[in-house]
Amino acid sequence: MDFLDKLNPQQRQAVTAGAGPVLVLAGPGSGKTRVLTQRVAWLIASEGVRPWQMLAVTFTNKAAREMENRVRTMLGELPTEGLWLGTFHSTCAKLLRREAEHLPFESNFVIFDADDQLRVAKNAVREMNLDEKTYRPQSIHGSISRAKNELIFPDDYPVQTYRDEVVKRVYKRYQELLKASNAVDFDDLLLWTAHLLSEFPAVREKYAQRFTHVLVDEFQDTNFAQYTLLKHLASAHGNIFVVGDPDQSVYRWRGADYRNVQRFEQDYPEAQVILLEQNYRSRQNILDAAMAVIDRNPHRRRKNLFTERGAGEKIFFYESGDDYGEASFVVDAIVGLASSRTCNLGDCAVMYRTNAQSRLLEEAFLQARIPYRLVGAQRFYGRREVKDIIAYLRLVHNPADEISLDRVINLPPRGIGDKTILALHTAARSADRTPGAALMDLARGDASPLWPQFTGRAALPLSDFGALLSNWRAEAARATVTELFDRIVASINYKEYIDDGTEEGAERWENVEELRRLTLEYSTRTMDDFLQDVALISDQDTLTEGKNAPTLLTLHAAKGLEFGAVFIVGLDDGILPHSRSFDEPEAMDEERRLFYVGITRAKDRLYLLRALRRGGRGYAEDTLPSRYLDDIPADLLSGKTRTGRSFREARHAASPAWLRPDPKPAPVKDTQYRAGMKIRHAIWGDGIVLNARLQDNDETVDAVFESVGIKRMVASLAKIEIISKQ
């Protein structure tokens, strides 16, 4: 067990913990993934647990792949076949397919993505002749999703208002439409699994006896449904090992409940509780700032984060005149870091509270001709051409999928209009068939009993497409995913349709080719596997690896990532914390956790930015500093305000409290200048040092000046003087 030798005492205690429930509260950067994967390896190699007796779940495919690779590397030749390791949703999908006989859908069910779900909700609202402006389908679907996360079925939906009554009726119809398409949504995967384990004792006992050990990553992000099904799966042996950090619970808006950590301690009072406090990612100054922020949240178990990486540089604070200046500073600073080889472009990240904040940042990077990666924008699997081909594959795999049928039935255009599509649905219902089955029956021409219900002009294109679908279905039984992909794309002349000779058309076809390359990875796997995997892809799973460019992303998307230099912009009250949270204490606590998550993504350098005014160059409003800045001790900060006032003056004028006099800094050992030092240039005026290093027996200084922005100087040649060492 050589890998145990590399663990610190807290990690080793967690990995080798005895039987029974174990709660590991892991601080950011404390090696929680290492602990979970080594726990799996230790149980197999040392305790004799068989791989198929373990269930390990996490939240992203990327994390699941990383865990699986680590386990295999550690165990070497020892077998790992049969280990259930994956995301909550993929694990539930696997279980539901195995136990479909107990459920109101077939085992080859499809998983509707967010767009499909919204389309079904719209159809349900329209069928009931409801005003879509009053009862917005997106809002109604949100209520349905929350109900499912609380394990509430349509018949049990609580009604206190008339809107609740409407939601209940739409929810019921929504589920009927899903069932008609032999489909489930993401929430259903959890809902039906929890239902299955709750209502069928034999099934529950079967899996609870099989999984002698249940291990959970990112436990703080579980919702009520996930917590319930975990309890069921661990009911026979009680060996449930959960790793998480309530201080990083930032997904309340999608059902995550950090209080599940408290529920765990209540439900398992005998549980071992282990704290992982040694951080391997960040410098101590960054950790001290993070703890100062998060310690203000109530009802939490405090962790004393520490590192052996040293104090590092102070946190750099910058206050720009407006949001354009904020974006310009970010780009200039990143260019300075890269050109000085302090860190690579790809090791820099810019984080913000809302997606809308990315616009000015993107413009600034484009103007500077600096490439960037935008996380959370139009994902690969959300692009039109990708969704088109996936819809075709889904329809061939499951002709009952009405959403996919409606998407592709006239794509590329084949003379099937909306009236014909409506007539197809009507005829199918009258014959007690799905539209897909009716379509394939029409391929028989006038031998079909449905043929007389259509005019010749409508029946012929339906018959032709039905014949195509029937042929694809026949080929699917013996073809690989790639072979079927090629047959469909060729049959519909999709390249001719999508590639119109423009640059955009070429890029669309490249996306189709990229999707085909993905299918090659499924040469020995089923269409079920392919469709399930592409349906469960997350934003972080599609984050391009290896591209040397700064990353732009929301603070929500940043969790689980790390960067050498992190820029958190928009630190104004109303943005972070967001104004929508002002009147709700729990929401404000989550906003603080969000800031904590952003801070702890930084390894070596952290920049905190705000703007005196926001709203654009034509109309801007004054802002106030984020109240969370008050919590960071002044001795951890360096920097200046846009007006050139000292921290104390600026803070006194704006009334927040953290701009107190800094203590005298420790002497610089090998450079005359250091980050945060105020200087004056003979031509450019007052500025502040961003970075300094020895190079070629001289000192190179990067500094930002109000008059010209960021400049690089050789100290022995530049006419600069030190104004203040603080």
Side-chain angles (χ1 to χ4, degrees):
M1 305 299 291
D2 294 341
F3 58 80
L4 293 179
D5 297 336
K6 299 178 181 179
L7 301 176
N8 66 43
Q10 292 172 316
Q11 291 174 331
R12 189 184 183 100
Q13 180 187 1
V15 169
T16 61
V22 179
L23 171 62
V24 180
L25 298 178
S30 61
K32 65 179 180 60
T33 302
R34 170 189 289 186
V35 165
L36 195 66
T37 53
Q38 295 200 8
R39 172 73 171 177
V40 172
W42 183 78
L43 288 171
I44 294 174
S46 180
E47 298 300 293
V49 179
R50 302 300 186 187
W52 57 86
Q53 294 178 303
M54 280 188 286
L55 169 66
V57 289
T58 185
F59 277 85
T60 68
N61 294 300
K62 180 180 179 181
R65 288 193 300 268
E66 181 182 349
M67 288 168 59
E68 185 174 14
N69 291 336
R70 288 191 187 187
V71 169
R72 288 179 175 173
T73 299
M74 284 185 286
L75 291 178
E77 297 181 359
L78 288 176
T80 59
E81 293 300 320
L83 171 66
W84 279 39
L85 194 161
T87 65
F88 271 98
H89 291 93
S90 64
T91 299
C92 289
K94 183 177 180 180
L95 195 152
L96 291 176
R97 293 194 195 281
R98 292 190 172 195
E99 305 296 336
E101 62 185 283
H102 303 291
L103 301 166
F105 42 79
E106 301 298 322
S107 61
N108 68 332
F109 62 82
V110 295
I111 304 169
F112 279 2
D113 65 14
D115 289 342
D116 300 327
Q117 294 166 35
L118 182 57
R119 192 172 292 113
V120 174
K122 285 182 178 178
N123 290 345
V125 169
R126 289 170 181 171
E127 284 186 15
M128 296 180 178
N129 295 317
L130 297 169
D131 183 357
E132 291 187 38
K133 293 182 179 179
T134 304
Y135 302 104
R136 294 187 304 112
Q138 190 167 8
S139 175
I140 297 288
H141 181 263
S143 297
I144 293 172
S145 178
R146 286 189 291 274
K148 291 184 177 184
N149 286 336
E150 295 293 326
L151 302 182
I152 299 173
F153 281 90
D155 289 343
D156 301 319
Y157 191 88
V159 175
Q160 296 179 340
T161 66
Y162 181 69
R163 183 185 184 279
D164 293 340
E165 176 64 34
V166 170
V167 172
K168 182 172 184 174
R169 287 190 283 123
V170 174
Y171 184 6
K172 184 175 182 179
R173 183 57 184 154
Y174 176 87
Q175 292 300 97
E176 291 172 350
L177 292 173
L178 288 179
K179 182 180 178 181
S181 289
N182 192 34
V184 298
D185 63 19
F186 293 146
D187 298 314
D188 277 332
L189 294 173
L190 305 177
L191 174 71
W192 285 113
T193 303
H195 171 79
L196 184 70
L197 298 175
S198 175
E199 298 301 316
F200 296 89
V203 175
R204 178 176 67 245
E205 189 68 14
K206 171 183 173 181
Y207 289 96
Q209 287 293 346
R210 171 176 177 161
F211 298 127
T212 60
H213 289 269
V214 176
L215 303 95
V216 189
D217 192 17
E218 303 287 4
F219 184 65
Q220 78 283 343
D221 291 335
T222 55
N223 59 31
F224 180 72
Q226 289 162 331
Y227 183 76
T228 300
L229 66 89
L230 287 171
K231 283 186 64 180
H232 285 315
L233 291 171
S235 59
H237 299 281
N239 296 324
I240 180 167
F241 182 95
V242 302
V243 182
D245 182 6
D247 292 335
Q248 296 186 73
S249 180
V250 295
Y251 298 132
R252 178 171 171 260
W253 50 275
R254 69 183 190 198
D257 191 349
Y258 74 96
R259 290 171 298 187
N260 281 344
V261 174
Q262 298 170 3
R263 291 190 180 104
F264 185 91
E265 294 189 80
Q266 293 169 0
D267 292 340
Y268 302 101
E270 76 282 14
Q272 302 177 64
V273 180
I274 301 168
L275 302 182
L276 299 186
E277 297 173 303
Q278 182 171 351
N279 180 285
Y280 293 89
R281 175 189 300 151
S282 305
R283 301 284 188 172
Q284 191 64 51
N285 281 342
I286 294 171
L287 296 178
D288 288 346
M291 286 188 289
V293 168
I294 201 62
D295 281 348
R296 297 293 297 274
N297 266 4
H299 313 303
R300 55 179 293 275
R301 189 188 295 259
R302 189 180 189 278
K303 294 182 292 294
N304 183 32
L305 304 180
F306 68 94
T307 183
E308 295 179 354
R309 297 194 63 228
E313 294 184 2
K314 289 188 176 185
I315 298 162
F316 195 92
F317 173 79
Y318 186 75
E319 181 182 69
S320 65
D322 58 21
D323 38 10
Y324 284 87
E326 180 182 63
S328 296
F329 176 88
V330 168
V331 174
D332 289 345
I334 289 176
V335 170
L337 290 172
S339 59
S340 66
R341 298 185 180 179
T342 301
C343 65
N344 296 324
L345 287 173
D347 208 22
C348 298
V350 189
M351 301 176 185
Y352 35 83
R353 175 63 178 84
T354 65
N355 276 306
Q357 291 172 260
S358 73
R359 183 178 67 86
L360 293 182
L361 292 163
E362 290 186 73
E363 288 181 4
F365 277 105
L366 289 170
Q367 289 172 2
R369 297 186 178 181
I370 304 297
Y372 61 89
R373 297 184 294 175
L374 183 64
V375 177
Q378 178 71 305
R379 299 185 300 118
F380 177 80
Y381 295 97
R383 292 169 183 162
R384 188 190 83 188
E385 57 276 11
V386 174
K387 289 179 71 68
D388 288 347
I389 302 302
I390 290 175
Y392 269 107
L393 292 172
R394 283 189 357 186
L395 180 62
V396 173
H397 183 62
N398 174 23
D401 182 351
E402 294 187 25
I403 294 297
S404 293
L405 175 64
D406 288 349
R407 181 183 184 94
V408 303
I409 194 170
N410 196 43
L411 189 153
R414 51 178 63 93
I416 302 176
D418 291 341
K419 290 184 178 179
T420 302
I421 295 173
L422 178 61
L424 174 65
H425 281 268
T426 302
R429 287 197 184 95
S430 66
D432 197 24
R433 296 186 177 189
T434 66
L439 188 68
M440 289 188 288
D441 190 72
L442 285 168
R444 298 191 295 139
D446 57 10
S448 168
L450 300 176
W451 189 266
Q453 299 186 45
F454 299 88
T455 64
R457 184 177 180 182
L460 287 174
L462 287 175
S463 177
D464 289 343
F465 188 57
L468 274 177
L469 182 56
S470 296
N471 291 336
W472 292 335
R473 287 275 295 166
E475 185 163 338
R478 58 181 181 273
T480 65
V481 177
T482 304
E483 289 169 346
L484 183 60
F485 181 103
D486 290 342
R487 177 69 181 273
I488 291 172
V489 170
S491 298
I492 63 176
N493 294 319
Y494 195 72
K495 185 178 191 303
E496 181 179 337
Y497 168 68
I498 204 71
D499 188 359
D500 57 4
T502 65
E503 184 174 342
E504 182 180 2
E507 290 176 355
R508 286 175 178 168
W509 179 245
E510 287 173 3
N511 290 332
V512 175
E513 291 180 315
E514 181 61 28
L515 183 64
R516 184 186 186 277
R517 282 191 283 272
L518 177 65
T519 67
L520 294 172
E521 300 178 16
Y522 291 77
S523 58
T524 60
R525 301 173 66 187
T526 67
M527 183 64 77
D528 265 334
D529 295 331
F530 175 78
L531 293 176
Q532 178 172 301
D533 288 351
V534 298
L536 299 178
I537 292 291
S538 72
D539 281 346
Q540 289 188 19
D541 294 324
T542 60
L543 183 60
T544 304
E545 300 290 345
K547 185 177 179 181
N548 187 28
T551 300
L552 278 61
L553 71 171
T554 65
L555 288 162
H556 281 104
K559 198 163 78 68
L561 304 177
E562 60 180 38
F563 302 90
V566 168
F567 296 75
I568 303 179
V569 302
L571 287 172
D572 309 319
D573 254 21
I575 297 180
L576 186 66
H578 200 280
S579 57
R580 289 194 300 264
S581 304
F582 284 172
D583 297 328
E584 190 177 352
E586 278 205 7
M588 289 294 285
D589 291 345
E590 179 156 314
E591 294 289 299
R592 185 182 292 277
R593 292 196 294 270
L594 198 56
F595 188 29
Y596 171 79
V597 165
I599 292 173
T600 54
R601 300 310 94 195
K603 294 193 288 188
D604 299 305
R605 289 172 175 79
L606 176 63
Y607 298 77
L608 305 179
L609 295 93
R610 68 170 301 266
L612 291 171
R613 291 173 297 279
R614 291 188 185 276
R617 285 175 173 155
Y619 175 77
E621 294 182 348
D622 292 341
T623 65
L624 289 174
S626 169
R627 65 194 69 187
Y628 298 153
L629 291 171
D630 291 350
D631 305 322
I632 302 177
D635 59 354
L636 299 177
L637 294 156
S638 65
K640 64 182 291 184
T641 66
R642 175 65 173 81
T643 58
R645 295 174 296 182
S646 70
F647 276 144
R648 180 189 295 178
E649 292 168 341
R651 210 51 173 165
H652 178 73
S655 77
W658 61 264
L659 292 172
R660 303 183 296 272
D662 288 349
K664 292 183 178 180
V668 178
K669 294 181 179 179
D670 54 357
T671 58
Q672 180 183 1
Y673 301 91
R674 65 174 182 81
M677 185 177 286
K678 296 180 177 65
I679 60 174
R680 179 168 295 150
H681 188 274
I683 298 176
W684 300 324
D686 292 350
I688 189 163
V689 175
L690 295 174
N691 185 49
R693 69 204 175 283
L694 294 177
Q695 184 176 348
D696 299 327
N697 296 319
D698 207 335
E699 189 172 353
T700 300
V701 180
D702 293 328
V704 59
F705 296 90
E706 294 297 331
S707 59
V708 292
I710 294 178
K711 290 292 184 180
R712 173 167 300 156
M713 304 160 287
V714 177
S716 63
L717 301 177
K719 298 179 180 179
I720 53 178
E721 62 175 308
I722 298 173
I723 300 174
S724 169
K725 295 184 178 181
Q726 295 186 0

